[in-house]
Amino acid sequence: MTRNVKRFLAVSLLSLAPSVAAAEQFDFGGLEFFRGEYVTAVKTETFELKARHAEGGASLLANPLQTFAVGNWTGVNVSFGGTLSGVRLPIPPPNPLGPVAKPSVNGVFQIEVAPATSVTQTYFYTTNPADPTGAAKTCLWQLAVTYNAGTATCSATIGQAAYGTQGVICYLDNAQSWINPTTCDAQVVSAME
């Protein structure tokens, strides 16, 4: 009977090996440093942005401004990629984005979008633009803003994904990321390590 139990455990543990090996690529050490404000992507995750109402009477007819801040904690320059859409790009994404000490944020860009519309912004930073899903550290974020014509309000989700074989950690700062439901202005603060 003991032999059967040992054989069963050996088979069970062998079946877990690929999952453990894949999980090792995304090390979650050091989360205490951020006091729970940042969340990391295992592979792909989506979060709903919290609503934050602005003070004053901002108009829904004004073009909403989407502000993105990224911290590059990889120790090397990273390159920008993605698909951004809007009325104009008042502050373009920094490319390349140099490294900065943790927990600072050193890359900021803004997109002005049309009022009363749903829009999706997809962007990533990578250590290897020639092979972002291979020999690289790559973090991809996707902001999806949904406009509800019935209530004249916006809501948003942010997805983040980790790619590459060099052990990247992707972060999203839940405390600093938000959407204003009445003006549709949004802010996303993220980082990669």
Side-chain angles (χ1 to χ4, degrees):
M1 174 138 178
T2 306
R3 241 182 278 151
N4 287 340
V5 171
K6 287 181 182 176
R7 204 174 321 150
F8 174 75
L9 286 175
V11 170
S12 297
L13 291 174
L14 285 175
S15 67
L16 291 176
S19 299
V20 172
E24 284 178 20
Q25 180 178 346
F26 306 103
D27 179 19
F28 296 113
L31 284 181
E32 296 78 20
F33 181 80
F34 300 107
R35 299 185 186 110
E37 294 175 1
Y38 280 86
V39 292
T40 61
V42 176
K43 286 221 178 214
T44 304
E45 294 181 279
T46 302
F47 305 93
E48 188 168 337
L49 285 187
K50 67 180 179 184
R52 178 177 154 192
H53 297 273
E55 306 214 1
S59 169
L60 184 63
L61 299 175
N63 288 346
L65 192 60
Q66 298 174 345
T67 304
F68 301 89
V70 180
N72 172 11
W73 307 336
T74 64
V76 297
N77 285 349
V78 292
S79 298
F80 174 84
T83 305
L84 305 175
S85 59
V87 175
R88 69 185 190 99
L89 194 64
I91 302 173
N95 190 24
L97 177 61
V100 68
K102 191 178 183 178
S104 298
V105 172
N106 60 328
V108 176
F109 59 100
Q110 291 182 323
I111 304 162
E112 191 176 314
V113 297
T117 57
S118 296
V119 65
T120 299
Q121 311 293 357
T122 303
Y123 62 100
F124 66 89
Y125 275 96
T126 182
T127 57
N128 185 355
D131 188 13
T133 60
K137 290 185 176 190
T138 302
C139 289
L140 179 140
W141 295 276
Q142 184 174 63
L143 173 69
V145 175
T146 304
Y147 176 73
N148 183 327
T151 60
T153 60
C154 284
S155 61
T157 58
I158 180 77
Q160 68 174 355
Y163 297 97
T165 60
Q166 297 182 349
V168 69
I169 305 172
C170 304
Y171 297 96
L172 177 67
D173 187 338
N174 280 334
Q176 299 297 319
S177 300
W178 50 265
I179 184 154
N180 183 316
T182 55
T183 65
C184 300
D185 290 334
Q187 176 176 290
V188 175
V189 178
S190 56
M192 64 186 294
E193 182 175 20

